[in-house]
Amino acid sequence: MNKIVMAFAGLLLGAGSACAADSGARELFRRVDTNGDRKLEFSEIQAARAQMFDRMDANHNGLLDAGEVRAAVEQVKSKRDFQAAQFGGFQAQADRIDRNGDGKISRAEFAAFIPDRLLQADTNGDGALSISELRALRRQ
């Protein structure tokens, strides 16, 4: 994953504060905002998470096992421009993402999970994050 995708990964995973000040954050926002309404609807975030899952699923079996989760975390930790300690929060959330408790995360489980930080950032409860809500999230 490139630098910008890696930074935004923290936001999508809910594990850290994405580098929203990054010069490429606007472009990434536009890519995730597939309907162009200048909001990130939870359905758009879920679609982006599904794409992220596909990159993390090293053996392409449709499941993330503990090794693949660790590999994804290590890949992010190797990037100096991202606060790896915050990304480690993803590992802690893995049990919550694994809805059926089988020790593996399916693509559907991964995509459907909306991190608490994002749910809380949706202050008007419309199922989408406006630019102002994302700015407030960045300031936290």
Side-chain angles (χ1 to χ4, degrees):
M1 285 191 249
N2 66 32
K3 173 182 171 184
I4 296 164
V5 172
M6 197 63 71
F8 201 66
L11 178 60
L12 294 178
L13 293 171
S17 58
C19 301
D22 232 342
S23 62
R26 286 187 183 145
E27 174 57 29
L28 187 56
F29 179 93
R30 285 185 200 110
R31 282 188 278 172
V32 174
D33 180 23
T34 56
N35 66 7
D37 66 355
R38 297 183 45 96
K39 296 189 287 187
L40 295 184
E41 296 177 12
F42 288 157
S43 61
E44 292 169 323
I45 291 169
Q46 290 170 325
R49 286 175 57 84
Q51 290 175 354
M52 186 181 301
F53 176 93
D54 293 341
R55 288 189 297 272
M56 294 169 63
D57 183 16
N59 62 8
H60 308 291
N61 69 348
L63 298 170
L64 293 181
D65 59 34
E68 288 167 321
V69 170
R70 275 193 303 275
V73 170
E74 289 306 313
Q75 182 181 8
V76 173
K77 283 182 177 180
S78 70
K79 306 292 181 184
R80 292 177 179 241
D81 61 327
F82 191 82
Q83 296 176 6
Q86 290 180 345
F87 190 84
F90 170 62
Q91 258 180 322
Q93 290 193 40
D95 288 340
R96 291 184 53 217
I97 297 170
D98 179 18
R99 305 278 300 198
N100 64 7
D102 66 356
K104 297 177 183 161
I105 299 171
S106 71
R107 187 176 196 268
E109 287 172 324
F110 187 84
F113 181 76
I114 300 292
D116 291 340
R117 284 190 70 204
L118 301 185
L119 293 171
Q120 292 166 358
D122 180 20
T123 56
N124 64 3
D126 67 351
L129 298 175
S130 66
I131 291 172
S132 62
E133 288 170 326
L134 287 168
R135 284 185 185 132
L137 178 63
R138 184 181 76 198
R139 286 190 293 266
Q140 291 177 355

